[in-house]
Amino acid sequence: MASADASGDGTLRIGLILDNTGQQNFLNAPQLAAAKLAVKDINAAGGHKGKPVELLPETISTDTAAQARALVAAKADVVIGPTDSSRAPAAVDVLANAKVAIISPANTAPGLSNYKSGGYYFRTSAADTAQASVLAKLVKDGGARTLAVLHEKGDYGKDVAAAVADAAKQSGLDTVGDAEFTPGAAQQAVNSVKAANPDAVVLVAREDAQGAIAELNNAGLAGKKLVLSDGAVNKYGSGLGARALEGARGVQPGVFPSAAFQTDLVAVDPGLKDMMFAAETYDAVILAAVAAAAAEDDAGTSIAASLVSVSGGTAGAVGNAGGQPGAQPASQSCTSYKDCVEALRAGRRPDYDGQSGRINFDSRGDITQANYMVYTYGEDNLASMSGTEAATSSGG
């Protein structure tokens, strides 16, 4: 989407799709707090065209399509969410048809990169497969020359395992085995991996990572030999045998929130205990407002047309009120809504880099750089952050 005619009503309205229930309901609070903080910061800097930006009242439901229809009825110009990748198509189908921009802070399924949205769908989190090069690097940094992949049955396990094998080859590593297991029944796959005699094992799992680690430990393939995908990193503690994970490494997506950002979030929600996807949510809201400012229009089509440009990406041109893409002005890095608006007033193209790091959307709405926190496990089977890595993000 390169340009758009102005069609907004002068008020920028931002909606949220919060779809986390049951064990995942803790993910709602950080996203809501981050959205409220972003709107607060935008309005403190003058809002959109001098009018306050509105954050529409939130609901929590797994009926994503119903939430999307309600937000369309409430005249949302951009919607932040959903969290669950499996619910993204339902949101996109409704919102894109209504010409509402969508920015998910948490969708990671690789296949969404190619989902037909007409240019309305973006995400500030990286595809699951982006972690593959970091996992391969951790294997190599550990001194291994050969690796085996043990992956859980399902799209996540299959896609990430294949990406790890490709990344290993590019890194000069030899993949000597790749075994799939069904949750609750990892023993046979672990025996297959052990028979390959690898220097290291990459575990790609979510649902039953603990069971797989226990089997790997029994086979003598845990501890320093083990590298965990993001879905397998957890606080295992006494749930595993003594020192089962000592020296093992794993990754989690994103960057560790700065002390100032954490303080600001807690000021919004004093009861906040988890900050997962808070940075990505904050950046999604700020980007939407910067895109509206660049387009001088609050309509969803104008926002979608401007998002690539104001994120620092190169595909497409800035949407504008006249509907004609012009030559790209010189870019200026900015880390807040206020600074980005000042760049626009100076005749420059804002390049927003936020709390989650560099974004730089590509033509499919994917970020082009993925950031990861590296964790190392101690003898208590608990992990602590030990470093950071960046990878080129590719959704498919």
Side-chain angles (χ1 to χ4, degrees):
M1 186 178 296
S3 63
D5 293 327
S7 58
D9 61 7
T11 299
L12 176 58
R13 297 180 184 88
I14 298 172
L16 291 176
I17 289 181
L18 299 177
D19 57 328
N20 304 289
T21 58
Q23 293 183 339
Q24 296 294 102
N25 65 1
F26 71 94
L27 294 173
N28 297 319
Q31 293 180 67
L32 179 57
K36 288 180 175 179
L37 176 61
V39 170
K40 176 176 173 287
D41 290 347
I42 293 164
N43 288 337
H48 175 67
K49 288 189 172 182
K51 294 180 64 175
V53 171
E54 295 182 7
L55 184 63
L56 297 174
E58 77 282 355
T59 60
I60 298 172
S61 170
T62 57
D63 190 340
T64 307
Q67 285 198 72
R69 288 192 294 269
L71 290 169
V72 171
K75 298 183 178 179
D77 301 301
V78 59
V79 169
I80 311 302
T83 303
D84 192 321
S85 293
S86 68
R87 299 192 181 106
V92 172
D93 289 349
V94 173
L95 296 168
N97 184 61
K99 299 183 178 180
V100 176
I102 312 112
I103 312 175
S104 172
N107 290 168
T108 59
L112 292 173
S113 296
N114 300 313
Y115 195 80
K116 293 181 180 180
S117 73
Y120 283 93
Y121 175 69
F122 300 79
R123 49 182 170 174
T124 49
S125 55
D128 291 321
T129 49
Q131 66 185 291
S133 63
V134 176
L135 295 173
K137 182 177 185 297
L138 292 180
V139 169
K140 192 169 186 176
D141 289 349
R145 294 184 179 180
T146 63
L147 67 88
V149 182
L150 177 67
H151 73 269
E152 195 170 73
K153 186 176 182 179
D155 289 342
Y156 171 78
K158 180 182 68 175
D159 292 343
V160 177
V164 168
D166 289 341
K169 184 177 181 180
Q170 294 176 22
S171 299
L173 297 167
D174 186 13
T175 301
V176 295
D178 182 357
E180 180 179 86
F181 73 95
T182 300
Q187 185 176 24
Q188 184 175 348
V190 168
N191 289 340
S192 173
V193 166
K194 184 178 182 179
N197 194 30
D199 295 333
V201 176
V202 175
L203 173 62
V204 183
R206 277 180 173 157
E207 186 178 333
D208 189 33
Q210 182 167 323
I213 293 170
E215 293 290 354
L216 286 165
N217 186 41
N218 292 338
L221 294 172
K224 292 182 179 180
K225 289 187 174 184
L226 190 57
V227 174
L228 306 177
S229 72
D230 61 350
V233 173
N234 210 330
K235 298 178 181 178
Y236 293 104
S238 60
L240 291 170
R243 297 189 170 183
L245 283 173
E246 186 177 11
R249 291 153 295 153
V251 300
Q252 283 285 284
V255 296
F256 194 76
S258 68
F261 186 51
Q262 292 184 59
T263 299
D264 290 342
L265 286 169
V266 172
V268 173
D269 179 0
L272 195 62
K273 297 187 184 329
D274 195 290
M275 298 192 181
M276 188 171 289
F277 302 127
E280 291 82 0
T281 301
Y282 181 90
D283 289 345
V285 175
I286 296 295
L287 276 166
V290 174
E296 298 184 13
D297 183 39
D298 57 272
T301 302
S302 296
I303 292 169
S306 298
L307 275 169
V308 171
S309 179
V310 300
S311 72
T314 56
V318 178
N320 53 65
Q324 298 298 321
Q328 289 277 10
S331 66
Q332 179 174 319
S333 179
C334 52
T335 57
S336 69
Y337 177 74
K338 180 181 178 181
D339 289 346
C340 290
V341 170
E342 288 178 355
L344 284 168
R345 289 172 180 162
R348 294 182 175 273
R349 175 173 63 91
D351 175 358
Y352 177 73
D353 294 323
Q355 296 293 336
S356 62
R358 293 184 65 186
I359 296 166
N360 296 20
F361 288 131
D362 64 17
S363 59
R364 299 179 300 183
D366 285 331
I367 59 174
T368 54
Q369 177 175 300
N371 295 299
Y372 291 91
M373 297 172 284
V374 178
Y375 286 84
T376 300
Y377 281 84
E379 61 182 23
D380 56 359
N381 295 329
L382 298 177
S384 58
M385 186 175 168
S386 56
T388 60
E389 294 286 350
T392 300
S393 176
S394 177

